[in-house]
Amino acid sequence: MSKKFDVIVIGGGPGGYIAAIRAAQLGKNVACIDEWKNSKGGPAPGGTCTNVGCIPSKALLQSSEHFEQASHHFADHGIEVKGLTIDAAKMVARKDAVVKQNNDGILYLFKKNKVSFFHGRASFVKALDGGYEIKVAGAAEETLTGQKIIVATGSNARALPGTPFDEVQVLSNEGALAVTQVPKKLGLIGSGVIGLEMGSVWRRLGSEVTILEGLPDFLGAVDQQIAKEAQKAFVKQGLKIELGVKVGDIKVNEHGVSVNWINAKGEANTLDVDKLIVSIGRVPNTIGLNADAVGLKLDERGAIVVDGDCRTNLPGVWAVGDVVRGPMLAHKAEEEGVAVAERIAGQHGHVNFNTIPWVIYTSPEIAWVGRTEQQLKADGVAFRAGTFPFLANGRARALGDTTGMVKMLADATTDEILGVHIVGPMASELIAECVMAMEFRASSEDIARICHAHPSLSESTKEAALAVDKRTLNF
Ligand code: FAD
Ligand code: NAI
């Protein structure tokens, strides 16, 4: 006998578990199926984000930042540290404990919201009259039927052709987050978000880190004034970043990895490292879903094809998060999950793709929302720009963290804020005000007229808004 549900969610990452909770809040009888296993084989909902993505990477970034502070910056405060050491295995164990707290939190939320959780791999069996039959292959096999299906099966790391991940020497994000000894020499392919975050973790702990990036521009999608400022800071910290490279043969032996590469001038080089992290993007994951059984349409990248509202080609089947188009971000997946649950319940769910923030959790942090200066120029939009350096912010000086700036871009005619780009301390938190401002279609003058607490980093956002009108008060 199959168990019947109004909504079945396949995948328990931020897209899936949030969709399941929202659908349950709206009165639906909901099942969520997720196959992720913890080290003991038990359920570990939360997907890439919780297990091998956002949460563990931020835990390691925090630990390594403490080490960096104690190694290089405590002395400025008159704090002397002698005999400082790092126990990388303990750091990773702490990270694992943080992950488990999050796994357990999601299981608790399922109970609280009366979402039925199934641990195992879900696949489509067939379409029914008014729904779909879904098989769950796990510890026990189950057959479920659902009137509506939400697919949130996420993404996997992309490997370099011919160099599969062994997670010992050639690492995806999974292996990169589980290294328990500081590698003497670490190589990374790709200076995108993972390359910079993971490169920073191990550089802070003492690895000699080299990042090989294929594109000629550093962080090409980021406002280039901000990217250049960040690049300067990373190079000063000791990250070696080679741009415009062509990666050639990669040889793996028991001692490490040898990467042949050609630099931007066409010269041949070899990089010998103990471990190599390959962070060249991610591919949508539909492995095991048996999409063909029901004719679920995928594109050439393997992503599930959806319209602007996350509807697939099949009636009653929706898809959200990394497995569909758009940025691969946890909060984007969550917003889509909420919107789809609301649409299923007859409401008007909405995701504003123009105000999805990005954050890179390096030090300095990089965060932005809206269009860059380069995009506005390409779009032929007349704009005014205002920048304010953290060097002129009292709180940043007190923190001893004055790298970077806030840059605000506003429409030249209407003054509506079109983009805000930040490199500097706590950019991840500062960007929230800017997202809200853009969501409410605020002008730069609105921000300039709002009272910001003193001394706070957020005064830099206000000053950048004043700078749009060329009237900063503190610079
Ligand atoms: P996922 O989180 O990948 O979840 C999909 C789930 O579905 C998984 O649990 C998987 O096991 C399960 N599944 C797949 N197929 C099946 C099946 N057939 N049956 C049952 N279960 C199945 N984003 C941010 O916004 N901020 C960050 O700081 C950030 N840091 C990151 C750091 C790293 C190292 C990485 C790799 C990613 C990071 N991301 C970050 C991206 C973020 O993790 C993803 O965008 C997010 O997890 C996508 O959510 P999702 O629900 O679509 O998919
Ligand atoms: P990415 O897309 O951010 O960066 C990949 C980089 O690799 C690019 O700069 C690209 O030009 C380069 N590249 C691709 N092929 C290459 C090759 N053959 N040789 C050399 N360079 C090559 O992808 P990344 O870092 O793997 O992360 C995947 C996704 O995970 C991100 O796009 C993001 O969506 C998400 N993520 C988000 C985080 C956050 O929000 N803080 C943190 C980490 C990941």
Side-chain angles (χ1 to χ4, degrees), residues 10-16 33-36 44 46-49 51-54 57-58 120-123 152-155 173 177 194 197-198 282 285 287-289 320-323 328-331 333 359 361:
I10 303 178
I33 309 162
D34 188 83
E35 66 175 339
W36 208 291
T48 302
C49 169
N51 292 294
V52 291
C54 325
S57 59
K58 266 80 258 180
R121 172 170 285 187
S123 54
T153 45
S155 62
N173 56 302
L177 290 160
I194 295 181
E197 289 189 355
M198 296 316 299
R282 297 180 61 81
N285 169 34
I287 301 164
L289 200 56
V320 302
D322 281 12
V323 77
M328 288 186 172
L329 294 173
H331 41 282
V359 178
Y361 293 83

Side-chain angles (χ1 to χ4, degrees), residues 17-76:
Y17 90 79
I18 289 292
I21 290 173
R22 184 71 188 121
Q25 284 176 345
L26 293 166
K28 301 291 176 188
N29 176 21
V30 183
C32 181
I33 309 162
D34 188 83
E35 66 175 339
W36 208 291
K37 291 188 183 123
N38 62 25
S39 56
K40 296 185 181 122
T48 302
C49 169
T50 301
N51 292 294
V52 291
C54 325
I55 301 299
S57 59
K58 266 80 258 180
L60 296 189
L61 279 157
Q62 187 61 46
S63 300
S64 59
E65 182 61 16
H66 284 322
F67 188 76
E68 172 98 342
Q69 290 292 328
S71 309
H72 301 296
H73 305 296
F74 277 11
D76 300 343

Side-chain angles (χ1 to χ4, degrees), residues 370-452:
R371 281 183 283 177
T372 63
E373 181 168 339
Q374 292 70 40
Q375 283 169 328
L376 290 174
K377 282 181 178 155
D379 293 347
V381 178
F383 64 90
R384 294 192 299 166
T387 56
F388 187 81
F390 286 108
L391 198 63
N393 174 278
R395 183 77 193 281
R397 287 195 201 117
L399 290 171
D401 198 354
T402 52
T403 308
M405 69 181 87
V406 179
K407 173 174 181 176
M408 190 173 287
L409 303 169
D411 188 284
T413 313
T414 65
D415 194 33
E416 179 174 348
I417 300 170
L418 302 174
V420 184
H421 307 271
I422 307 175
V423 53
M426 301 307 280
S428 54
E429 299 296 330
L430 294 175
I431 202 68
E433 174 187 13
C434 309
V435 175
M436 175 137 57
M438 283 187 63
E439 194 63 49
F440 291 161
R441 302 194 63 179
S443 62
S444 77
E445 189 186 348
D446 289 327
I447 299 278
R449 286 186 183 278
I450 290 171
C451 180
H452 289 66

Side-chain angles (χ1 to χ4, degrees), residues 58 158 160 189-195 197 212-215 245 247 279-282 327-329 358-361:
K58 266 80 258 180
R158 187 155 77 85
L160 278 167
I189 314 280
S191 71
V193 198
I194 295 181
E197 289 189 355
L212 303 179
E213 165 60 44
L215 292 177
V245 314
V247 174
S279 47
I280 56 169
R282 297 180 61 81
M328 288 186 172
L329 294 173
W358 275 85
V359 178
I360 306 178
Y361 293 83

Side-chain angles (χ1 to χ4, degrees), residues 216-443:
D217 290 327
F218 179 66
L219 288 176
V222 176
D223 186 282
Q224 283 300 291
Q225 189 179 1
I226 297 296
K228 292 218 158 49
E229 191 78 9
Q231 186 181 7
K232 253 195 298 178
F234 297 145
V235 170
K236 202 168 148 203
Q237 290 164 3
L239 274 185
K240 281 193 206 145
I241 305 171
E242 298 284 350
L243 299 173
V245 314
K246 196 165 166 7
V247 174
D249 284 353
I250 297 183
K251 292 196 186 71
V252 185
N253 61 41
E254 70 270 28
H255 305 298
V257 186
S258 189
V259 182
N260 286 329
W261 59 283
I262 297 172
N263 70 14
K265 292 185 202 145
E267 297 156 343
N269 291 275
T270 304
L271 174 70
D272 291 309
V273 289
D274 303 306
K275 291 188 187 288
L276 181 73
I277 298 175
V278 177
S279 47
I280 56 169
R282 297 180 61 81
V283 284
N285 169 34
T286 52
I287 301 164
L289 200 56
N290 202 18
D292 286 350
V294 286
L296 181 63
K297 198 167 161 198
L298 311 182
D299 68 14
E300 64 289 346
R301 291 184 317 127
I304 297 176
V305 176
V306 289
D307 67 9
D309 286 347
C310 294
R311 276 185 201 86
T312 71
N313 64 312
L314 300 176
V317 180
W318 307 70
V320 302
D322 281 12
V323 77
V324 305
R325 81 291 168 264
M328 288 186 172
L329 294 173
H331 41 282
K332 176 264 192 184
E334 290 182 15
E335 293 301 314
E336 286 183 336
V338 167
V340 164
E342 291 178 349
R343 284 174 198 133
I344 286 174
Q347 299 186 355
H348 297 281
H350 178 66
V351 181
N352 184 354
F353 280 88
N354 297 323
T355 55
I356 295 176
W358 275 85
V359 178
I360 306 178
Y361 293 83
T362 43
S363 178
E365 291 185 343
I366 305 166
W368 70 97
V369 58
R371 281 183 283 177
T372 63
E373 181 168 339
Q374 292 70 40
Q375 283 169 328
L376 290 174
K377 282 181 178 155
D379 293 347
V381 178
F383 64 90
R384 294 192 299 166
T387 56
F388 187 81
F390 286 108
L391 198 63
N393 174 278
R395 183 77 193 281
R397 287 195 201 117
L399 290 171
D401 198 354
T402 52
T403 308
M405 69 181 87
V406 179
K407 173 174 181 176
M408 190 173 287
L409 303 169
D411 188 284
T413 313
T414 65
D415 194 33
E416 179 174 348
I417 300 170
L418 302 174
V420 184
H421 307 271
I422 307 175
V423 53
M426 301 307 280
S428 54
E429 299 296 330
L430 294 175
I431 202 68
E433 174 187 13
C434 309
V435 175
M436 175 137 57
M438 283 187 63
E439 194 63 49
F440 291 161
R441 302 194 63 179
S443 62

Side-chain angles (χ1 to χ4, degrees), residues 59-60 62-64 66-68 70-71 83-96 177-183 201-202 204-206:
L60 296 189
Q62 187 61 46
S63 300
S64 59
H66 284 322
F67 188 76
E68 172 98 342
S71 309
L84 187 70
T85 58
I86 176 75
D87 180 342
K90 192 165 177 186
M91 175 183 82
V92 169
R94 174 190 174 272
K95 177 267 300 180
D96 290 340
L177 290 160
V179 174
T180 51
Q181 269 193 335
V182 181
V201 166
W202 297 106
R204 290 169 189 167
L205 300 180

